[in-house]
């Protein structure tokens, strides 16, 4: 490692780059072409994000449910509150719409008013039969339709909450997709190219805009929005960073090469994802934009150093070589620390986060290599900088800003520490105000029509997010016993008492409808049969279920009758209450379904998502500690000093605490998107720390180990680059605030704010700590010799070394 970071190593690198320019360019073009061929393998994920490890009990329970009852997220619902639905013209259009949907091969079942079936008793056959609820021949009779509506609302309690809301008059249809296509591209194609055009046609015919929702529908439109925003982010990031870059350097050439570097980096990022077989998820969709935002600071650092060197001696060849020899170690370490910030996600036991960590880590190192190779080669072919290009080094506004910082560090370190302590207390207090969100739709685009539809169904039908309860009686036909049904009815009462949950649907409802049918459809008899009634109802039920194709129980119990299913819906706006709701349900379940006689599993997508958020939160601390440890190791390698390790951590810990406190006071909850902020921001903020410390270590040697002089000399050399890169990162991450996704907006805004805190912390608090804690370094003999040899040479020594080697 010592040899790799020595001046000799970077001199070899510099010579290799500048003497093999054509070979390197050909190699980069070849790699770009090869990775471009992998773009065809880039696909958007058709499955939902699951933040929990596959072997976790939560996932095991959910998969057990799927094995018994199949995919539960296959329901699409269509609804309206318009009273004109029960008029001949609109009802005819509604019927036509539902028939078109029902005839699609991608649909397994449609339950709607127009094809509704009601149970009727046949005493001759001693069975229950299904009879059409609607007489199609009378559908053009307005009076008939009004009576039909009244009959539905008063005499069909089985469908209350499923197909209608008695209080508001809202009516909906339930459309079940073929479970085989729910997690495939066929689902997306059907929803976008078939189902939505059906709804548009209905609107044109009737003037009524229908509300549509359900997990397949939400997932499809949510994914489409994510895909559409990838191009927006890339374009906006390129535009913003290019404008800022040109504003700083006033050079079209410098701006052009920077754009070329990051565009190639973006091309590589898609190729790497395709080559590794990774799908584009809500996280990996951010990678191309991150490549731009992270790549531009590399370009700034290299180009600014080139300008500084050329400004000193006006020797282009020497300036290009110095860019590599004098910044090679610092830029390598800063990119490694950025990669480390993202690499922390690799150690989590989750596929989604692990893939995100792997892709970002590889691409960060790739964009560093591209910057290191292309920038010196590009400037070697073009004319030397002109005075206008170097003017930014003496810009008055920038000089004034750094004069203020230097004076603050020189004369007001006590004020810096007091301010830091106050901000620390602010952050700690705010942390206690943070809430955890378990909402699936929290981060979805709130300005879209499909989000408004989600809120409609939450208001009218208590949500569209299914919560599943699976009851294993552990004995054949145990779920069909009257005693079990009564226990389930008791549990249903508890569910009905929870305002966040909808009316449950289970075999209990079907048993009640059998009794109602036996008593000639009288709604007053919609209840569980007594023990006596069970005896004469049983022959009717058995005769009704002889035909397996029409077996109405198969959606509610397994074929052996051992396991029963209970489904309700939850208002996702109350996702944060999921843990409280499950605790209340579990208390009741433990009383009426005691173990080991019964086994009851509470699952469903809202439950899995909420637990995934909690899992991510539990792993956040360990990931950050891992990042702190790696960063501390790099600083220890550089300085061999525990004090310097602490000096490097504190200025980066404070911005994280500040951001957490700000989240608490602003009411921004912890959720998957905001949890990522801390790992990303730390990995990027620590760049400035290492850049400052690396330059400071070199200035110590150049200034006779005088700490004060070395610190302020560091501002002159590294301060401008730190400021420039922080500004670019701030506006680069602010691009994510253009998103329609709340989570992406929060991610961009919070990272930008954290990096702003980090810049000020590294420019003010870091040098203050160095001056305060490292007074003993005034004696060179007390400082352990550094590992990085290049930092022990002055400019004059570097010149002499280069001249001697040239003579040889």
């Amino acid at each position: 490692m010592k040899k790799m970071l020595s001046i000799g190593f970077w001199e070899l690198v510099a010579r290799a780059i500048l003497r093999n320019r054509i070979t390197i360019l050909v190699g980069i073009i070849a790699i770009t072409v090869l990775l471009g061929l992998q773009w065809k393998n880039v696909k958007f994920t058709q499955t939902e994000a699951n933040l929990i490890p596959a072997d976790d009990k939560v996932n095991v329970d959910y998969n057990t449910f799927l094995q018994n009852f199949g995919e539960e997220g296959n329901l699409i619902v269509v609804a309206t509150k318009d009273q004109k639905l029960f008029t001949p013209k609109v009802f005819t259009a509604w019927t036509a719409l539902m028939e078109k949907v029902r005839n699609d091969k991608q649909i397994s079942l449609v339950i709607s008013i127009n094809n509704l079936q009601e149970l009727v008793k046949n005493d001759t056959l001693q069975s229950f039969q299904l009879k059409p609820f609607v007489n199609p021949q009378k559908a053009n009779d307005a009076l008939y339709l009004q009576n039909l509506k009244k009959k539905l609302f008063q005499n069909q309690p089985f469908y209350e909450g499923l197909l209608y809301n008695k209080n508001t008059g809202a009516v909906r249809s339930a459309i079940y997709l073929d479970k085989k296509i729910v997690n495939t591209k066929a689902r997306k194609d059907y929803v976008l190219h078939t189902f939505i055009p059906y709804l548009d046609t209905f609107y044109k015919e009737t003037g009524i805009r229908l509300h549509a929702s359900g997990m397949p529908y939400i997932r499809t439109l949510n994914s489409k929005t994510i895909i559409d925003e990838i191009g927006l982010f890339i374009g906006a990031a390129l535009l913003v960073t290019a404008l800022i870059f040109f504003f700083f350097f006033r050079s079209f050439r410098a701006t052009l090469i920077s754009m070329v570097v990051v565009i190639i980096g973006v091309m590589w990022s898609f190729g790497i994802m395709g080559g590794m077989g990774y799908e584009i998820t809500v996280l990996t969709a951010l990678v191309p934009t991150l490549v731009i935002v992270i790549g531009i600071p590399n370009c700034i650092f290299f180009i600014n150093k080139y300008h500084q060197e050329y400004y000193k001696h006006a020797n282009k060849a020497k300036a290009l070589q110095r860019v590599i020899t004098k910044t090679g170690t610092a830029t390598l370490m800063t990119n490694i620390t950025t990669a480390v910030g993202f690499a922390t996600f690799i150690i989590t036991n989750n596929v989604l986060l692990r893939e995100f960590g792997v892709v970002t880590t590889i691409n960060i190192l790739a964009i560093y290599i591209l910057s290191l190779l292309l920038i010196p080669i590009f400037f070697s072919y073009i004319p030397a900088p002109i005075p206008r290009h170097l003017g930014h080094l003496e810009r008055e506004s920038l000089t004034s800003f750094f004069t203020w910082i230097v004076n603050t560090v020189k004369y007001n370190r006590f004020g810096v520490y007091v301010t830091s302590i106050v901000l620390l207390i602010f952050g700690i207090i705010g942390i206690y105000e943070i809430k955890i969100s378990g909402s699936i739709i929290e981060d979805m685009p709130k300005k879209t029509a499909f989000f408004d539809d989600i809120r409609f169904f939450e208001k009218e039908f208590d949500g569209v997010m299914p919560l599943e309860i699976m009851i294993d009686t552990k004995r054949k036909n145990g779920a069909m016993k009257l005693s079990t049904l009564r226990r389930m009815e008791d549990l249903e009462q508890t569910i009905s008492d929870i305002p966040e949950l909808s009316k449950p649907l289970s075999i209990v409802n079907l048993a009640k409808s059998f009794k109602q049918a036996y008593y000639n459809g009288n709604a007053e008899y919609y209840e569980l049969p007594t023990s006596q009634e069970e005896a004469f109802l049983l022959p009717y039920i058995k005769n009704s279920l002889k035909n397996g194709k029409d077996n109405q129980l198969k959606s509610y119990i397994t074929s052996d009758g051992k396991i029963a299913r209970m489904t309700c819906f939850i208002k996702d706006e109350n996702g944060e209450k999921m843990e409280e709701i499950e605790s209340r349900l579990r208390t009741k379940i433990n009383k009426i379904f005691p173990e080991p006689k019964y086994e009851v599993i509470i699952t469903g997508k809202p439950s899995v998502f909420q637990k995934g958020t909690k899992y991510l939160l539990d792993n956040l601390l360990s990931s950050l500690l891992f990042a702190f440890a790696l960063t501390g190791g790099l600083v220890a390698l550089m300085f061999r000093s525990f004090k310097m390790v602490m000096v490097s951590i504190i200025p980066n810990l404070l911005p994280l605490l500040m951001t957490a406190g700000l989240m608490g006071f602003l009411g921004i909850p912890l959720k998957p998107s905001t949890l990522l902020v801390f790992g990303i921001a730390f990995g990027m903020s620590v760049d400035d720390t290492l850049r400052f410390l690396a330059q400071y270590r070199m200035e110590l040697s150049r200034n006779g180990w005088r700490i004060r002089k070395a610190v302020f000399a560091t501002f002159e050399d590294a301060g401008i680059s730190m400021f420039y890169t922080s500004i670019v990162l701030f506006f680069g991450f602010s691009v994510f605030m253009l998103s329609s996704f709340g989570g992406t907006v929060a991610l961009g805004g919070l990272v930008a704010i954290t990096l702003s805190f980090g810049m000020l912390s590294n420019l003010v608090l870091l040098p203050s700590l160095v001056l305060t804690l490292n007074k003993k370094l005034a004696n060179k003999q007390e400082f352990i010799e550094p590992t990085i040899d290049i930092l022990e040479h002055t400019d004059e020594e570097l010149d002499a070394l280069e001249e001697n080697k040239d003579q040889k």
Side-chain angles (χ1 to χ4, degrees):
M1 176 64 75
K2 182 174 181 179
K3 290 182 179 179
M4 284 188 63
L5 301 179
S6 68
I7 182 173
F9 172 78
W10 288 111
E11 278 193 342
L12 290 174
V13 171
R15 290 187 179 187
I17 293 173
L18 297 174
R19 291 179 179 179
N20 299 279
R21 294 174 294 177
I22 301 298
T23 303
I24 291 172
L25 291 176
V26 171
I28 290 174
I29 293 172
I31 293 172
T32 304
V33 171
L34 289 175
L35 290 176
L37 295 175
Q38 299 298 320
W39 293 358
K40 63 180 182 295
N41 299 321
V42 177
K43 299 176 182 178
F44 195 89
T45 181
Q46 302 299 330
T47 58
E48 292 178 314
N50 190 329
L51 301 174
I52 306 176
D55 57 353
D56 190 274
K57 187 178 185 303
V58 173
N59 266 337
V60 172
D61 287 347
Y62 183 64
N63 289 329
T64 300
F65 169 83
L66 294 181
Q67 290 171 6
N68 284 290
F69 295 101
E71 173 63 48
E72 43 103 26
N74 67 326
L75 172 65
I76 296 178
V77 286
V78 180
T80 181
K81 282 180 66 177
D82 199 306
Q83 299 302 311
K84 290 185 292 185
L85 175 63
F86 289 94
T87 59
K89 178 183 176 182
V90 177
F91 192 83
T92 300
W94 176 273
T95 301
L97 169 65
M98 292 303 148
E99 284 302 308
K100 282 195 295 185
V101 172
R102 188 173 68 87
N103 292 330
D104 288 333
K105 63 180 181 180
Q106 296 90 346
I107 302 301
S108 62
L109 177 66
V110 174
I111 302 176
S112 181
I113 297 172
N114 60 283
N115 68 355
L116 204 60
Q117 303 285 313
E118 59 178 333
L119 280 173
V120 294
K121 181 177 64 170
N122 187 323
D123 288 325
T124 304
L125 299 176
Q126 280 199 324
S127 71
F128 296 112
Q129 295 178 333
L130 291 173
K131 172 187 173 184
F133 182 70
V134 177
N135 186 344
Q137 297 177 352
K138 297 182 178 181
N140 290 323
D141 186 341
L143 180 61
Y144 170 77
L145 291 177
Q146 290 301 314
N147 290 331
L148 186 73
K149 176 182 177 181
K150 183 178 180 181
K151 180 181 177 183
L152 174 68
F153 283 22
Q154 293 182 358
N155 297 336
Q156 297 295 326
F158 177 84
Y159 295 108
E160 183 177 1
L162 176 63
L163 293 186
Y164 68 87
N165 182 330
K166 181 187 293 187
N167 297 323
T168 66
V171 175
R172 73 176 178 180
S173 295
I175 301 167
Y176 292 88
L177 281 181
D178 184 345
K179 293 179 180 180
K180 295 178 182 178
I181 73 165
V182 170
N183 293 319
T184 68
K185 185 176 180 293
R187 180 208 76 226
K188 182 190 74 172
D189 292 338
Y190 174 75
V191 171
L192 293 179
H193 305 305
T194 302
F195 183 70
I196 291 179
Y198 285 167
L199 302 184
D200 293 339
T201 300
F202 181 86
Y203 173 70
K204 292 176 182 177
E205 292 176 354
T206 65
I208 297 175
R209 191 170 295 281
L210 300 176
H211 300 276
S213 195
M215 290 306 296
Y217 186 81
I218 294 171
R219 287 168 58 189
T220 300
L221 295 188
N222 196 51
S223 299
K224 182 179 182 298
T225 307
I226 293 174
I227 294 172
D228 292 343
E229 288 191 349
I230 293 177
L232 171 67
F233 290 152
I234 293 175
L238 285 172
L239 178 62
V240 169
T241 52
L243 290 175
I244 296 173
F245 198 96
F246 182 77
F247 175 76
F248 286 154
F249 291 97
R250 306 297 170 88
S251 170
F252 285 107
R253 293 178 296 187
T255 305
L256 175 63
I257 183 57
S258 300
M259 292 300 103
V260 169
V261 168
V262 295
I263 288 173
I264 293 175
V266 170
M267 295 170 69
W268 283 21
S269 68
F270 283 112
I272 290 169
M273 282 191 282
M276 300 185 75
Y278 290 169
E279 295 179 322
I280 295 180
T281 65
V282 68
L283 292 180
T284 53
L286 303 177
V287 171
T289 310
L290 288 173
V291 168
I292 298 172
V293 175
I294 295 171
I296 287 294
N298 280 329
C299 299
I300 287 177
F301 195 70
F302 282 120
I303 294 173
N304 190 63
K305 191 65 178 176
Y306 170 60
H307 285 177
Q308 286 178 334
E309 290 296 327
Y310 186 82
Y311 183 79
K312 290 178 182 178
H313 46 67
N315 187 324
K316 176 181 167 182
K318 183 187 293 185
L320 288 173
Q321 188 172 25
R322 288 284 184 81
V323 168
I324 300 171
T325 57
K326 294 184 67 175
T327 65
T329 295
T331 52
L332 174 62
M333 294 185 69
T334 53
N335 278 272
I336 288 176
T337 53
T338 302
V340 164
F342 289 94
T344 55
F345 298 119
I346 299 175
I347 65 173
T348 62
N349 189 17
N350 177 266
V351 175
L352 185 70
L353 291 174
R354 192 182 307 125
E355 289 183 358
F356 177 66
V358 169
V359 171
T360 48
T361 301
I362 293 174
N363 279 284
I364 288 168
L365 297 178
I367 197 69
Y368 163 69
I369 293 172
L370 282 172
S371 304
L372 179 67
L373 296 176
L374 289 179
I375 290 176
I377 292 176
F378 176 81
F379 281 104
S380 71
Y381 280 115
I382 65 174
I386 59 178
R388 176 169 60 86
H389 299 157
L390 305 177
H392 67 94
L393 298 172
E394 296 180 338
R395 193 168 294 155
E396 185 177 346
S397 58
L398 192 61
T399 304
S400 300
F401 175 71
F402 277 97
T403 299
W404 171 78
I405 289 179
V406 169
N407 289 335
T408 300
V409 175
K410 274 185 179 179
Y411 308 116
N412 195 22
R413 289 202 296 277
F414 178 76
V416 171
Y417 297 143
V418 171
T419 303
S420 299
I421 292 172
V422 170
L423 294 176
L424 177 64
I425 294 172
F426 168 86
I428 292 174
I429 294 174
I431 287 174
Y432 286 97
E433 301 295 324
I434 293 181
K435 296 181 180 179
I436 301 175
S437 171
S439 169
I440 294 179
I441 68 171
E442 173 74 31
D443 288 341
M444 289 184 182
K446 294 180 173 55
K447 295 181 180 179
T448 57
F450 80 84
F451 189 87
D452 293 337
D453 287 344
I454 293 174
R455 293 305 188 201
F456 171 85
F457 283 100
E458 287 188 339
K459 180 180 179 181
E460 300 295 333
F461 296 97
D462 293 324
V464 292
M465 306 297 173
L467 183 67
E468 303 284 357
I469 300 175
M470 192 172 71
I471 303 165
D472 187 354
T473 63
K474 298 185 178 181
R475 58 189 185 276
K476 188 174 182 180
N477 295 323
M480 300 178 66
K481 292 185 177 298
L482 185 59
S483 59
T484 302
L485 297 179
R486 286 174 178 166
R487 293 173 187 267
M488 292 177 65
E489 185 182 39
D490 193 8
L491 178 58
E492 285 188 355
Q493 184 58 51
T494 300
I495 293 174
S496 299
D497 292 339
I498 300 175
E500 293 81 14
L501 299 180
S502 71
K503 174 187 173 182
L505 189 64
S506 70
I507 188 178
V508 174
N509 305 78
L510 197 56
K512 290 179 179 180
S513 67
F514 280 133
K515 179 175 178 179
Q516 179 188 358
Y518 186 82
Y519 287 100
N520 300 315
N522 189 334
E524 294 182 0
Y525 289 93
Y526 183 73
E527 59 187 9
L528 284 178
T530 63
S531 300
Q532 293 178 335
E533 290 171 327
E534 182 185 19
F536 53 79
L537 273 174
L538 194 58
Y540 281 80
I541 296 174
K542 287 183 176 180
N543 290 333
S544 302
L545 302 177
K546 284 181 179 179
N547 187 348
K549 293 183 180 179
D550 298 326
N551 191 339
Q552 301 169 59
L553 298 180
K554 61 183 179 181
S555 296
Y556 307 108
I557 61 173
T558 52
S559 56
D560 57 8
K562 290 175 59 177
I563 303 175
R565 170 190 184 181
M566 188 179 294
T567 301
C568 61
F569 297 95
I570 183 170
K571 294 180 180 179
D572 194 74
E573 61 182 351
N574 296 292
E576 61 187 39
K577 296 183 179 180
M578 178 62 70
E579 193 170 346
E580 176 186 336
I581 291 171
E582 287 196 24
S583 176
R584 184 173 174 182
L585 290 176
R586 182 58 64 183
T587 300
K588 183 68 174 181
I589 288 169
N590 290 340
K591 289 182 180 180
I592 60 179
F593 294 106
E595 294 183 341
K597 189 176 180 181
Y598 299 92
E599 181 182 3
V600 181
I601 292 174
I602 302 175
T603 187
K605 284 183 170 60
S607 177
V608 172
F609 188 86
Q610 193 272 340
K611 291 180 174 67
T613 303
K614 189 173 184 300
Y615 171 82
L616 190 61
L617 179 60
D618 292 341
N619 280 269
L620 173 66
L621 182 59
S622 60
S623 297
L624 285 177
L625 289 176
F626 177 69
F628 287 150
L630 286 181
T631 302
L634 289 172
V635 175
L637 175 68
M638 193 191 315
F639 286 93
R640 308 284 183 86
S641 168
F642 177 73
K643 285 183 179 179
M644 293 305 292
V645 172
M646 297 303 298
V647 165
S648 68
I649 296 297
I650 293 173
N652 292 290
L653 184 59
L654 182 62
L656 297 183
L657 293 174
M658 274 289 297
T659 300
L662 200 61
M663 289 173 60
F665 286 117
L666 294 179
I668 301 173
L670 283 176
K671 49 189 176 181
S673 55
T674 54
L675 284 171
L676 296 176
V677 168
F678 300 98
I680 293 173
F682 176 79
M684 304 190 74
S685 177
V686 80
D687 276 7
D688 283 343
T689 302
L690 290 180
R691 192 165 290 157
F692 185 93
L693 292 179
Q695 187 66 34
Y696 162 68
R697 182 63 186 85
M698 181 170 67
E699 296 297 340
L700 274 175
S701 177
R702 298 166 72 181
N703 290 279
W705 302 92
R706 287 171 292 180
I707 295 175
R708 192 177 182 84
K709 190 172 182 180
V711 167
F712 298 122
T714 302
F715 279 113
E716 297 179 7
D717 199 298
I720 293 178
S721 293
M722 291 170 61
F723 176 74
Y724 283 176
T725 55
S726 296
I727 294 298
V728 169
L729 289 173
F730 175 83
F731 284 101
F733 274 98
S734 297
V735 163
F736 290 123
M737 298 181 71
L738 297 173
S739 173
S740 53
F741 290 85
T744 308
V745 172
L747 175 67
L750 290 173
V751 171
I753 291 172
T754 307
L755 292 177
S756 299
F757 289 147
M759 178 190 71
L760 293 174
S761 182
N762 282 308
L763 287 176
V764 180
L765 179 59
L766 175 61
S768 298
L769 289 172
V770 170
L771 288 172
T772 301
L773 297 179
N774 283 317
K775 291 181 179 179
K776 290 184 179 180
L777 294 181
N779 183 351
K780 180 179 177 180
Q781 299 302 322
E782 294 183 17
F783 193 90
I784 300 176
E785 288 300 311
T787 300
I788 307 170
D789 292 349
I790 186 173
L791 301 181
E792 297 182 4
H793 295 272
T794 63
D795 284 350
E796 292 73 17
E797 291 171 335
L798 288 170
D799 289 337
L801 285 169
E802 291 170 0
E803 290 173 2
N804 289 336
K805 290 186 177 181
D806 288 340
Q807 291 173 2
K808 290 179 181 180

